[in-house]
Amino acid sequence: EVQLVESGGGLVQPGGSQRLSCAASGFTFSDYAMSWVRQAPGEGLEWVSGISGSSDGTFYADSVKGRFTISRDNSKNTLYLQMNSLRAEDTALYYCAKGAGGGSYSELGYWGQGTLVTVSS
Amino acid sequence: QSVLTQPPSVSAAPGLRVTISCSGSSPNIGNNFVSWYQQLPGTAPKLLIYENNKRPSGIPDRFSGSKSGTSATLGITGLQTGDEADYYCGTWDSSLRAEVFGTGTKVTVL
């Protein structure tokens, strides 16, 4: 059974940093591209970032480019999102999601339960 | 601001059919597969449709997808109260080099 479990959310001050983790199980982690998707309170879905299975490809939404860094450790089956220079508008529930095989960032067939990041003073 | 536009809401009585449109452009819908997601209140999104019109295992055939040019459509037939949810389209945008989601549509069963 595929499982994705996010952690690392919490309250952080504007300008601060936070690192999110996503522990994956139930599939061959290194074979799949992974994504982070966020949802601000009462708002729609926003894709944040994606990384290929071998980490040779990383992509970001314009809204986080230069501030967020996605990475993965295939030996630990874990996905990360390092978030720096956080702003109030980064407040959201952050989901990790598994894409279809073959390096696709679409067809997000499995999602975690999300971890809440609140940016506030 | 999303590059994919959906109607904010659609509604119909139980048993009837609704359709949800997703309008994009050449770099996204025009040249890439479209997926559809259902998000029930308080839960994570769930993949309903992939590659424009394919259903993952376990998704009933009441849900269907289609694509024409730079637009896509999700159809739900035999509407049930359990279908009340937010629905999002999604696709890769080759110009932005990013996955993009639609603005979302709330389905209400009258």
Side-chain angles (χ1 to χ4, degrees), chain B residues 41-78:
Chain B
T43 69
K46 175 183 179 181
L47 181 66
L48 279 183
I49 298 288
Y50 68 99
E51 291 185 6
N52 303 332
N53 55 20
K54 298 178 181 177
R55 283 176 286 106
S57 173
I59 302 299
D61 59 7
R62 299 188 300 107
F63 296 91
S64 63
S66 63
K67 187 183 103 167
S68 178
T70 59
S71 293
T73 301
L74 174 71
I76 310 173
T77 59

Side-chain angles (χ1 to χ4, degrees), chain A residues 6-12 18 20 36-48 63-64 67-68 81 83 86-96 113-120, chain B residues 39:
Chain A
E6 303 95 336
S7 60
L11 177 64
V12 59
Q18 196 87 340
L20 306 183
W36 287 98
V37 178
R38 69 183 181 184
Q39 187 168 35
E43 301 296 324
L45 302 176
E46 181 187 17
W47 185 86
V48 172
S63 58
V64 306
R67 299 188 300 123
F68 290 12
L81 185 68
M83 306 184 295
L86 282 162
R87 306 166 180 165
E89 54 264 37
D90 295 318
T91 294
L93 186 62
Y94 284 74
Y95 295 102
C96 91
Q113 82 291 347
T115 186
L116 181 63
V117 174
T118 303
V119 184
S120 175
Chain B
Q39 188 176 32

Side-chain angles (χ1 to χ4, degrees), chain B residues 6 28 49 52 97 102:
Chain B
Q6 299 178 229
N28 43 71
I49 298 288
N52 303 332
R97 298 181 77 203

Side-chain angles (χ1 to χ4, degrees), chain A residues 37 39 43-47 59-62 65 95 105-109 111-113, chain B residues 33 35 37 39 43-47 50-51 88 91-92 96-102:
Chain A
V37 178
Q39 187 168 35
E43 301 296 324
L45 302 176
E46 181 187 17
W47 185 86
F59 302 91
Y60 299 91
D62 286 343
K65 206 169 290 183
Y95 295 102
Y105 298 92
S106 297
E107 300 174 28
L108 301 173
W111 298 64
Q113 82 291 347
Chain B
F33 287 125
S35 301
Y37 302 88
Q39 188 176 32
T43 69
K46 175 183 179 181
L47 181 66
Y50 68 99
E51 291 185 6
Y88 297 90
T91 187
W92 183 255
L96 296 174
R97 298 181 77 203
E99 183 75 3
V100 291
F101 290 105

Side-chain angles (χ1 to χ4, degrees), chain A residues 26-27 32 39 59 69-70 76 84 108:
Chain A
F27 64 101
Y32 292 87
Q39 187 168 35
F59 302 91
T69 302
I70 191 171
K76 296 182 178 179
N84 299 330
L108 301 173

